[in-house]
Amino acid sequence: MAEIRERDDAEDLAEGDPAVDEARAHPDVYVVEPLLPQRLRRPSDLLRFLSTLLVLAAVVLVALVAKQTLNGLEADVKEGTTLVPDLLSRVATFLGGAAVLIVPVAFAVERVFHRDGLRVAEGLIAAIIGMVGSFLLGQWLIGGSAEDLRMLLTGGRSIEPLNTLLTSVVAYATAVRISRRPTWRMLMWTVIALDIFALFSGRQITLPGAIVPVLVGMAVGYGTLYGVGSPNTRPPGNAVIAALRKLSFSPVSARRIDDDHQGSRRYAIGLKDASRLDVTVLDRDRQVAGLPYRLWRRIRLNSETRRRAIRSLRAELEREALMAYAAQAAGASTPRLLGTSEIGTEAALLAYEHLETRPLDDVPDADIDDDLLAQIWEQVALLQIQRLAHRRLTGDSIQLDPAGRVVLTDARSGEIAAGDLLLRLDVAQLLTYLALRVGAERSVRAAAAIMGPDALAAAMPLLQRIALTRETRSALSKDKGALAALREHIVALKPQGKVEEIRLERFRPRTLVTIIASTLAAYFLLSQLSQVNLMRVITTANWAWSGLALVASFISFVAAGLMLRGFVPEHLPLWRTVLVQFAASFVKLVTPAAVGGVAINTRYLQKRGISPALAVASVGASQLSMMVFHIALLLLFAYITGSNTATAFSPSRGLVVVMLAVAVLVVVLFGVPPLRRFITGRMHALFANVLPRLLDVLQSPRKMIEACAGTLMITLAFVVCLDACVEAFGGEIGFTTVAVVYLTANAIGSAAPTPGGLGAVEGALTLGLTVAGLPAELATSAVLLHRLLTFWLPVLPGWAAFTYLQRHEAL
């Protein structure tokens, strides 16, 4: 938190600020700017508030999980307090109890004498919120709403779960920013530590009960600061004028203009010699603005592509100045940096020469001719020769002067001595931006004329959305084929070039979703397993029915092999294809149910010499056939079940509920535009070339019979397996009912983002069997046995098959 602390307001230091004094001494220049707000909600306060809440949640979770370790640690601390001499203990108790009130009062008096009573008022607000909040939370815990948490904070004794005095004092100390005053900070935390020691030795608090109030108090303090805001210490426009005078400029006019893309203030300054300056002001409190996004990018991207999430004011000033000087030395057309200066303690400025320009975004697409494209690439080439990466080649940083010459601005995001990856990222970014303006073909042709085909081939692997700026990614959402078109034109330009794959992301958001979903699924499974004795499940199951279920599970892999062979006109060996299906069962441990098998089968077909497009089409045809058979069998078995349970041909109430739930799910998936676009996009990618492949299969009756038989056998094998598992525990429901339950649950599991549909399949199967009339415990036992035979048991042979196929270069 040290870097964030550097960016906080410094009201005490603002008193007697030389920049402010200088501004007051030269009030002759009127600055046209809106009034600065008296108070600001600082992003650093919000960041601290959220960070404290995260630490608080982590402490509570760790304490709840590691109860035994915590009890042992608390016993050791308690034993250590008994070794303290009695006189010293009494003195510490007296000092802690008295000083914890005296020190805040003394600090308040000192601040009032310095006419800073508003800060004291903020501290009192935080103290009141902390006291009331801790009292109410304590009463909620005493009421038995969270027994484990209450026992953690009280140790089973009749004490306050959250010490209200300790919480309010910490909230007060945080809100008055006592940490800005080293002497007061040391004194305050010393008396808080003494008070905790006194409470602990008197058995009035537990170890977690000492940590949690401190964190709650800090969270209340930071929340109060963000809620009420902090005094605005940004230097006004006249302080900027005073700083420019120190740089030997003679300002005669000043006007605030639009902020830059990072939210930094900008001023247009008129000088005595009729020239003008463009001044950028870097405010200290803006250095953490947008921090969550920068942290997310820093975590998600590899080290060379990411930028530092937090940078001090001085480092930001030096970075932009160095990049500006380096770009000038490289001969690039950029505004000259004429001077830099700090403005007191809370800001700094960079003064650039003023150039009359307009951004490329304001130029109509029709006016962007080949000469202009060549100029843009020439400027980028000058930077790249000197190993300078601009990192923001967009329409607002590419400017045109009245003569039509290109000027590059916004040097703050750049890098000197950039590596190859950053330079290639610049090429990829500019290629994409210009393709969105003038088309992929013209963008590639103009770049190749200046940078050369090799530079474009090197940048082609970086034509990824994640590598581009926010604005370009947003524009790509309206022209999704732009990146593909760029790749096609680059390949046509240099077809013999070898494309190396570059992974910019450490992980994708969908990976995060899968991890979270898998965690929830594991929790669900563990809760199920805690209610069922697994040894009893295994020992009480009828071995004859269990053996039948095992055979049915094996047949499903043979059927999957037959199905794939049926949709591939080329010859595929049966048993090797069956081994691929076992390998897919191993891959399902780390991929969603509908993804692992598709990827493995596609890879297998490519290794058999089938082109990637035809391999994808074959697998897509098999998946389409599987979906059609799945829906048809679901309707058939639902109809048969209804006719068996009533004199009229109507399904049972439970099945109606299940079917309605599926219908609602389909309506939601296709009724919400983002979900509909996601699903249709995936379906189009999977089934784009399916129809020609199906026509190839239909020309061979043997292949068609093999495909249909395999598809039908897969579903029936899994239904037989589940029905046998139900029979193994003495369950008595119809085969068609089991089929409806399985087909519905399998559809839900295929849509789940967890590996192999983990959690979703178990929950859906258990719920379906229970609705169908089985006791909950019997349904859970049957489902666990079914998943053991179809999901967990094939993992070991699947790993062996995966290893064997890789060794023989079949995968």
Side-chain angles (χ1 to χ4, degrees):
M1 301 291 282
E3 287 183 299
I4 302 174
R5 185 177 298 117
E6 182 183 343
R7 291 155 181 78
D8 279 328
D9 63 307
E11 294 92 346
D12 304 320
L13 298 176
E15 298 173 4
D17 193 322
V20 177
D21 294 340
E22 179 72 13
R24 290 168 180 165
H26 298 83
D28 52 318
V29 177
Y30 177 72
V31 181
V32 180
E33 66 175 344
L35 290 175
L36 295 178
Q38 293 185 346
R39 303 185 70 81
L40 295 172
R41 286 189 174 91
R42 299 182 183 275
S44 57
D45 292 330
L46 178 60
L47 180 65
R48 282 200 184 92
F49 172 69
L50 297 176
S51 301
T52 306
L53 290 182
L54 287 176
V55 173
L56 176 61
V59 168
V60 172
L61 287 176
V62 170
L64 288 173
V65 172
K67 290 181 181 179
Q68 298 298 327
T69 303
L70 189 64
N71 291 337
L73 179 62
E74 186 169 350
D76 292 340
V77 175
K78 191 178 298 181
E79 183 179 351
T81 59
T82 60
L83 301 178
V84 178
D86 185 63
L87 178 61
L88 182 59
S89 177
R90 290 176 180 274
V91 171
T93 301
F94 172 76
L95 290 177
V100 79
L101 294 175
I102 294 174
V103 172
V105 172
F107 182 80
V109 172
E110 189 262 350
R111 284 291 87 198
V112 169
F113 274 119
H114 283 83
R115 298 181 179 179
D116 196 10
L118 187 58
R119 186 188 303 198
V120 177
E122 294 170 356
L124 290 176
I125 293 173
I128 293 171
I129 295 174
M131 179 171 292
V132 174
S134 60
F135 174 77
L136 294 177
L137 187 58
Q139 292 300 308
W140 176 72
L141 292 173
I142 292 173
S145 299
E147 185 64 24
D148 290 342
L149 187 57
R150 185 184 66 81
M151 289 296 296
L152 179 71
L153 296 176
T154 63
R157 300 191 294 270
S158 298
I159 58 177
E160 284 185 299
L162 287 177
N163 190 286
T164 53
L165 177 61
L166 184 60
T167 305
S168 58
V169 167
V170 174
Y172 170 86
T174 304
V176 297
R177 295 194 186 277
I178 207 169
S179 58
R180 304 268 68 80
R181 311 290 294 279
T183 302
W184 284 102
R185 179 182 65 221
M186 181 185 66
L187 185 60
M188 187 76 254
W189 285 106
T190 300
V191 300
I192 289 175
L194 289 174
D195 186 52
I196 292 175
F197 172 78
L199 292 170
F200 198 86
S201 59
R203 296 178 58 80
Q204 295 299 308
I205 202 170
T206 62
L207 193 58
I211 299 173
V212 170
V214 171
L215 292 174
V216 171
M218 292 174 64
V220 170
Y222 291 131
T224 302
L225 283 176
Y226 186 76
V228 303
S230 301
N232 187 359
T233 56
R234 294 179 183 177
N238 55 4
V240 175
I241 297 298
L244 289 173
R245 286 199 174 98
K246 289 185 177 180
L247 294 174
S248 300
F249 293 109
S250 301
V252 294
S253 65
R255 177 171 56 88
R256 175 89 175 267
I257 57 178
D258 293 338
D259 296 348
D260 66 11
H261 75 281
Q262 295 187 16
S264 298
R265 288 184 287 161
R266 296 193 304 166
Y267 292 86
I269 307 295
L271 301 180
K272 190 174 182 180
D273 59 0
S275 61
R276 293 174 59 185
L277 297 176
D278 290 329
V279 175
T280 300
V281 177
L282 308 179
D283 292 301
R284 187 182 299 278
D285 64 86
R286 292 290 308 170
Q287 298 307 300
V288 294
L291 181 62
Y293 175 76
R294 296 202 299 270
L295 284 174
W296 168 246
R297 296 275 293 184
R298 185 172 178 82
I299 294 171
R300 186 179 175 188
L301 296 182
N302 290 325
S303 57
E304 190 173 351
T305 61
R306 66 192 187 194
R307 307 174 191 178
R308 190 170 183 180
I310 304 176
R311 188 176 286 110
S312 68
L313 177 66
R314 185 74 185 180
E316 191 73 18
L317 174 67
E318 292 173 350
R319 175 192 178 92
E320 183 169 350
L322 185 59
M323 183 64 190
Y325 289 134
Q328 293 173 26
S333 179
T334 60
R336 286 192 306 127
L337 180 62
L338 302 179
T340 61
S341 174
E342 290 186 340
I343 312 175
T345 59
E346 291 301 298
L349 66 81
L350 298 103
Y352 293 92
E353 68 170 336
H354 174 74
L355 298 177
E356 289 290 344
T357 59
R358 59 172 176 160
L360 188 61
D361 277 342
D362 293 345
V363 178
D365 294 349
D367 293 344
I368 302 178
D369 55 21
D370 291 342
D371 179 62
L372 179 56
L373 293 176
Q375 283 192 62
I376 295 172
W377 283 109
E378 286 170 359
Q379 293 299 318
V380 173
L382 290 173
L383 295 179
Q384 300 231 336
I385 290 172
Q386 297 299 320
R387 312 294 296 181
L388 302 177
H390 188 280
R391 310 248 10 218
R392 188 176 165 76
L393 291 169
T394 59
D396 57 353
S397 62
I398 301 173
Q399 307 266 333
L400 299 181
D401 66 10
R405 291 187 295 267
V406 173
V407 178
L408 298 181
T409 62
D410 193 14
R412 192 189 315 178
S413 303
E415 297 274 359
I416 66 168
D420 289 338
L421 182 59
L422 292 181
L423 298 179
R424 292 156 67 188
L425 282 171
D426 264 4
V427 175
Q429 163 61 33
L430 186 55
L431 269 174
T432 307
Y433 171 76
L434 292 178
L436 293 170
R437 298 294 306 275
V438 301
E441 191 272 335
R442 285 186 63 196
S443 177
V444 170
R445 188 176 68 238
I450 304 299
M451 308 295 293
D454 290 335
L456 270 62
M460 186 168 65
L462 298 172
L463 291 173
Q464 308 174 32
R465 288 178 60 90
I466 189 65
L468 308 174
T469 62
R470 277 187 182 183
E471 296 83 356
T472 307
R473 292 200 302 270
S474 177
L476 277 175
S477 63
K478 303 175 183 176
D479 188 359
K480 298 181 179 179
L483 293 180
L486 281 171
R487 295 188 191 100
E488 290 176 3
H489 286 293
I490 293 174
V491 170
L493 188 69
K494 195 174 177 61
Q496 72 277 15
K498 183 179 179 181
V499 179
E500 57 170 322
E501 184 178 356
I502 298 179
R503 181 73 180 270
L504 296 178
E505 298 174 279
R506 294 179 184 271
F507 60 89
R508 296 180 179 179
R510 72 181 65 175
T511 306
L512 206 59
V513 173
T514 300
I515 292 173
I516 296 172
S518 301
T519 304
L520 295 175
Y523 176 79
F524 172 78
L525 279 179
L526 289 176
S527 64
Q528 276 193 326
L529 293 175
S530 65
Q531 301 173 8
V532 178
N533 189 329
L534 275 181
M535 290 304 299
R536 178 175 170 275
V537 169
I538 297 173
T539 55
T540 59
N542 184 290
W543 286 101
W545 285 108
S546 300
L548 176 61
L550 179 61
V551 172
S553 175
F554 175 77
I555 290 175
S556 69
F557 291 97
V558 179
L562 288 173
M563 181 184 70
L564 183 62
R565 276 167 46 100
F567 286 101
V568 179
E570 295 81 3
H571 173 71
L572 296 178
L574 175 60
W575 292 110
R576 174 159 290 193
T577 307
V578 172
L579 283 180
V580 172
Q581 309 315 309
F582 274 100
S585 69
F586 168 67
V587 175
K588 286 179 184 178
L589 277 176
V590 292
T591 61
V595 175
V598 171
I600 285 290
N601 284 324
T602 303
R603 179 68 174 170
Y604 168 62
L605 295 181
Q606 291 180 22
K607 283 291 187 178
R608 295 291 301 179
I610 300 172
S611 67
L614 292 178
V616 171
S618 296
V619 175
S622 67
Q623 294 296 309
L624 179 61
S625 173
M626 190 73 184
M627 183 176 67
V628 171
F629 270 81
H630 193 102
I631 295 173
L633 288 173
L634 178 59
L635 295 175
L636 174 64
F637 284 123
Y639 175 80
I640 295 173
T641 302
S643 65
N644 289 336
T645 56
T647 56
F649 293 114
S650 60
S652 65
R653 182 179 302 174
L655 293 174
V656 170
V657 171
V658 173
M659 298 295 289
L660 286 176
V662 173
V664 170
L665 178 63
V666 171
V667 169
V668 170
L669 291 177
F670 288 94
V672 179
L675 292 176
R676 183 176 64 249
R677 287 193 294 269
F678 175 78
I679 294 173
T680 54
R682 288 302 181 89
M683 296 289 284
H684 177 75
L686 186 60
F687 300 134
N689 299 315
V690 165
L691 186 58
R693 201 60 167 169
L694 282 175
L695 294 176
D696 293 339
V697 172
L698 290 174
Q699 294 176 5
S700 171
R702 184 180 64 84
K703 286 288 184 181
M704 186 174 62
I705 293 172
E706 191 175 27
C708 294
T711 305
L712 184 61
M713 284 173 59
I714 291 177
T715 303
L716 292 179
F718 278 117
V719 173
V720 169
C721 180
L722 180 59
D723 186 62
C725 290
V726 172
E727 294 286 352
F729 293 98
E732 295 182 359
I733 56 175
F735 179 82
T736 56
T737 303
V738 172
V740 172
V741 170
Y742 169 76
L743 292 169
T744 305
N746 186 62
I748 296 173
S750 299
T754 56
L758 192 66
V761 172
E762 288 83 357
L765 285 174
T766 304
L767 177 62
L769 292 176
T770 304
V771 170
L774 281 182
E777 185 175 353
L778 193 153
T780 302
S781 300
V783 169
L784 291 178
L785 180 59
H786 175 263
R787 291 292 279 173
L788 175 66
L789 296 177
T790 59
F791 182 74
W792 295 107
L793 198 60
V795 167
L796 187 57
W799 169 78
F802 186 82
T803 305
Y804 171 82
L805 293 169
Q806 277 198 322
R807 190 184 306 122
H808 290 79
E809 297 185 355
L811 284 180

